[in-house]
């Protein structure tokens, strides 16, 4: 069985669904103190809070990423799934052996609405459908090979929160399935 790490920064409802669904997780990493990080506590899954020294321009992205790599090596991780992880890692991670070994889920139907405000931008554009995309992470943000997508309707009166929650409902089912399928393709 391949060893999976989940990276979180927020509510962690995707991680929660993975834990409840019985997905085997070998390591959880958070970049800030968040609910997602604390979800690991009662499960016995090793969790690391690798806080960023700064959120400003002085952030040492490469240094931070190399710290992340140390933990991935320590826990013998074969695949990383970012689940609401809000730090953009430096491309050095791909040179360190993790190319093709990092997945991301994004709350839009890529290639539409890339970036941090995908749900807000979907609403602002007046789109009739929204959704999520699970893809392989590459140097270019929200642009790697797409593994799976699922759509949901945008309903009258939707706010960013109601629409995002509708998206997350399908994400919680699609992401674990896609991770397991992708794992089978890893050598
Ligand atoms: C998901 O919608 C994911 O696509 C986005 O962040 C959200 C994570 O939600 N990148 P949660 O923290 O797991 O509840």
């Amino acid at each position: 069985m391949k060893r999976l790490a989940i990276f979180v920064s927020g509510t962690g409802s995707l991680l929660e669904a993975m834990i409840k669904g019985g997905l085997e997780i070998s390591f959880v990493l958070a970049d800030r103190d968040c609910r997602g990080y604390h979800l690991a506590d009662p499960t016995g899954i090793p969790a690391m809070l690798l806080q960023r020294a700064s959120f400003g321009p002085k952030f040492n992205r490469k240094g931070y990423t190399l710290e992340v790599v140390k933990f991935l090596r320590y826990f013998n991780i074969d695949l990383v799934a970012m689940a609401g992880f809000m730090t953009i890692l430096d491309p050095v991670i791909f040179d360190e052996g993790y190319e093709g070994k990092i997945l991301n889920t994004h709350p839009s139907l890529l290639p539409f609405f890339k970036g941090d405000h995908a749900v807000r931008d979907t609403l602002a554009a007046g789109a009739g459908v929204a959704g999520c995309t699970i893809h392989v992470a590459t140097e270019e943000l929200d642009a790697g090979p797409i593994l799976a997508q699922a759509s949901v309707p945008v309903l009258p009166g939707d706010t960013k929160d109601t629409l995002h929650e509708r998206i997350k409902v399908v994400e919680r089912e699609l992401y674990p399935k896609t991770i397991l399928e992708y794992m089978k393709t890893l050598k």
Side-chain angles (χ1 to χ4, degrees):
M1 187 66 186
K2 300 282 178 196
R3 289 173 60 81
L4 173 69
I6 307 295
F7 285 10
V8 293
S9 301
T11 327
S13 71
L14 293 178
L15 171 61
E16 195 169 21
M18 290 171 187
I19 293 170
K20 282 191 183 145
L23 189 69
E24 206 174 304
I25 299 168
S26 300
F27 176 49
V28 168
L29 183 134
D31 64 352
R32 66 201 75 191
D33 193 6
C34 59
R35 180 175 175 272
Y37 169 63
H38 292 282
L39 286 170
D41 293 347
T43 64
I45 301 169
M48 177 69 205
L49 178 54
L50 189 59
Q51 265 175 312
R52 293 171 52 149
S54 126
F55 282 88
K58 291 209 173 116
F59 174 53
N60 178 357
R61 197 171 301 280
K62 188 168 176 187
Y64 182 90
T65 304
L66 289 172
E67 286 297 307
V68 169
V69 167
K70 277 190 203 161
F71 284 104
L72 295 181
R73 294 224 170 98
Y74 182 81
F75 287 104
N76 276 316
I77 296 304
D78 300 294
L79 181 68
V80 172
M82 297 193 282
F85 188 64
M86 296 302 286
T87 292
I88 297 168
L89 294 171
D90 189 278
V92 72
I93 197 160
F94 302 123
D95 306 332
E96 292 290 327
Y98 293 92
E99 187 162 9
K101 295 185 175 171
I102 305 178
L103 304 185
N104 184 40
T105 179
H106 182 76
S108 80
L109 295 170
L110 290 172
F112 300 102
F113 310 118
K114 295 178 179 180
D116 282 353
H117 302 288
V119 182
R120 185 194 72 187
D121 295 346
T122 302
L123 275 176
V129 282
C132 65
T133 302
I134 293 148
H135 67 95
V136 181
T138 53
E139 192 162 341
E140 196 186 334
L141 224 56
D142 300 331
I146 292 176
L147 301 175
Q149 290 184 303
S151 60
V152 298
V154 178
L155 299 178
D158 259 342
T159 62
K160 187 167 75 59
D161 290 344
T162 60
L163 180 56
H164 199 170
E165 183 51 32
R166 193 173 309 116
I167 294 168
K168 284 196 205 179
V169 170
V170 294
E171 243 178 337
R172 286 175 200 131
E173 200 181 315
L174 189 64
Y175 204 15
K177 268 196 223 162
T178 309
I179 289 169
L180 285 173
E181 284 304 308
Y182 190 75
M183 266 186 168
K184 289 185 201 158
T185 71
L186 293 179
K187 301 231 167 62

